[in-house]
Amino acid sequence: MAEPKPEPVKSIFEEPKKVIQKASEPIAKTNSGSKFSIKAALEKKEEIEKDKFSEVKDENLPSNHFSQTDIDREWGIFLKNIAKTNTLAYNAINTFKLEKSDEYQITVKYSSETAKGEFDKLSPEFFNHFKHKVNNFKIEIEYQTDLSIKKEVMTKRKIFEKFVEINPLLKDLDDLMRFDLT
């Protein structure tokens, strides 16, 4: 008779073999492309801008008189505070002009859409403070583009060209001396 084969001795350090199951379909989802639409986002933004300050319209809200001087004073204080805390926003909005155009209306004149975007982030803070300061909660805000308030960066070359307009001999001097106006 044949002797049965002895079973190999199992060590306590060997791990039992595990059966790995494979998925029949990919587990990760496929990328179906972007669902973001620029056109839809722009239309939604315009709707939000219309409703931004049209809060509760109640006839019982206080509506005290305010003047252009009040606007200028509070705008100056606001700009000083922003200059200390957020210089990027300050540089974008410091050229804005706020004018009282009607008894309950303030016109904000801005130079570019980018600057207006920065102002939109800060405007609720300013107008909320202003409404409480003058005790007038019926104030409406109107925006206008005004390219005349845009600040031009004056380089040495631009300053020199302005002087050349006044005195054309400076151009000859520049040709002779080759000024470094960079």
Side-chain angles (χ1 to χ4, degrees):
M1 282 195 114
E3 277 184 40
K5 291 185 178 179
E7 290 184 31
V9 179
K10 291 185 180 179
S11 170
I12 58 170
F13 298 109
E14 289 182 21
E15 294 183 24
K17 292 185 181 180
K18 296 180 182 176
V19 178
I20 300 173
Q21 295 179 354
K22 294 187 178 181
S24 60
E25 297 177 7
I27 296 172
K29 295 180 181 178
T30 58
N31 189 2
S32 62
S34 175
K35 295 180 182 178
F36 179 75
S37 168
I38 295 173
K39 184 177 180 181
L42 290 174
E43 289 173 359
K44 184 177 180 182
K45 184 178 179 185
E46 289 175 3
E47 292 172 8
I48 291 171
E49 283 185 22
K50 291 177 184 175
D51 296 334
K52 196 173 206 178
F53 292 108
S54 60
E55 297 170 359
V56 178
K57 298 284 183 177
D58 190 3
E59 298 298 321
N60 298 330
L61 291 175
S63 58
N64 293 347
H65 176 75
F66 65 95
S67 66
Q68 181 65 38
T69 308
D70 295 329
I71 297 171
D72 294 340
R73 183 181 61 246
E74 293 303 319
W75 181 243
I77 293 169
F78 181 73
L79 285 178
K80 285 180 185 176
N81 292 338
I82 291 297
K84 294 175 187 173
T85 59
N86 190 348
T87 56
L88 177 68
Y90 171 77
N91 289 331
I93 67 171
N94 69 344
T95 59
F96 280 35
K97 301 289 183 215
L98 277 68
E99 298 175 352
K100 182 178 178 180
S101 53
D102 198 12
E103 183 61 32
Y104 300 116
Q105 188 169 16
I106 296 175
T107 303
V108 178
K109 294 184 178 182
Y110 61 95
S111 58
S112 70
E113 289 297 323
T114 308
K116 183 181 181 290
E118 284 294 321
F119 182 70
D120 286 342
K121 296 174 189 174
L122 302 168
S123 62
E125 178 185 345
F126 172 73
F127 287 118
N128 186 34
H129 170 75
F130 184 73
K131 287 177 181 181
H132 282 84
K133 186 76 172 184
V134 296
N135 201 20
N136 186 333
F137 294 90
K138 295 183 181 181
I139 296 174
E140 296 176 0
I141 291 84
E142 178 183 300
Y143 293 92
Q144 284 183 355
T145 306
D146 187 4
L147 298 177
S148 67
I149 62 174
K150 189 177 245 184
K151 280 190 177 178
E152 182 180 354
V153 178
M154 293 301 290
T155 62
K156 290 180 183 178
R157 173 59 67 187
K158 288 183 182 179
I159 293 170
F160 180 77
E161 288 172 358
K162 284 190 176 189
F163 282 125
V164 167
E165 290 174 7
I166 297 169
N167 188 352
L169 292 176
L170 287 175
K171 180 68 176 156
D172 296 336
L173 187 61
D174 180 39
D175 293 340
L176 180 65
M177 303 293 285
R178 298 176 196 249
F179 295 134
D180 182 21
L181 299 172
T182 56

